Amino acid sequence: GQSLEQPSEVTAVEGAIVQINCTYQTSGFYGLSWYQQHDGGAPTFLSYNALDGLEETGRFSSFLSRSDSYGYLLLQELQMKDSASYFCAATRDKIIFGKGTRLHILP
Amino acid sequence: DVKVTQSSRYLVKRTGEKVFLECVQDMDHENMFWYRQDPGLGLRLIYFSYDVKMKEKGDIPEGYSVSREKKERFSLILESASTNQTSMYLCASRTPGLAGNEQYFGPGTRLTVT
């Protein structure tokens, strides 16, 4: 079987840092991706980790530990426009998504 | 820019109707996917296609079929629509293999079956 677990909701304050965790159980795993989806919109790609460690893209960073079957997305200097759902996804021959984490940002 | 388009943004159908959802991508991607998205359940894979005339069942294929006669077009078919198929349907495409970790999504079709 294959599954990804992530928190259903996270709340943070504007300007702060928030971490969204993802644990996975999947075979034939190439890497872990993260997608962002605003209400009414389509998911858009944020980042991909093929190797263990941290990948940084501007305010967003993503981390993977294959030995722990664990990854996270780190969002820094939160802005109101970051309010969205975030999905981790296991990439193999197909891409399997977690159920998503709804990020609420308070002013 | 990669573009994935879907034939309708909103669709209302009656129970028992045959429904066609069309998806077209312009990036010559081999892989195409159909997902449905429901609150609290995330994106669930219905079917995917590695290439023309090839298809594989995803996690929830029951009640659906697909067609891929041309590389750029991937159709999802509801043979006899039911109310539990009311959902948001998302199409996506990507390049296969390790280089294709990014999927490009269409805008989605919100289907209501009454």
Side-chain angles (χ1 to χ4, degrees), chain B residues 66-83:
Chain B
V66 290
S67 173
R68 186 131 181 242
E69 296 297 316
K70 292 185 178 182
K71 193 173 187 179
E72 68 272 17
R73 188 179 298 268
F74 191 34
S75 301
L76 180 69
I77 303 155
L78 287 67
E79 295 290 342
S80 177
S82 63
T83 55

Side-chain angles (χ1 to χ4, degrees), chain A residues 22-86:
Chain A
C22 175
T23 56
Y24 62 87
Q25 289 184 331
T26 183
S27 57
F29 177 77
Y30 295 167
L32 195 69
S33 302
W34 288 91
Y35 286 76
Q36 178 191 60
Q37 185 180 31
H38 287 100
D39 285 347
T44 56
F45 175 81
L46 288 177
S47 68
Y48 174 67
N49 293 70
L51 303 174
D52 283 6
L54 195 66
E55 293 281 342
E56 297 181 68
T57 309
R59 295 187 296 114
F60 293 1
S61 303
S62 57
F63 172 83
L64 175 65
S65 168
R66 287 176 177 268
S67 59
D68 295 323
S69 297
Y70 165 74
Y72 66 72
L73 178 69
L74 191 73
L75 296 81
Q76 302 183 72
E77 300 173 18
L78 283 172
Q79 302 175 10
M80 296 305 293
K81 67 179 182 178
D82 297 328
S83 294
S85 293
Y86 293 84

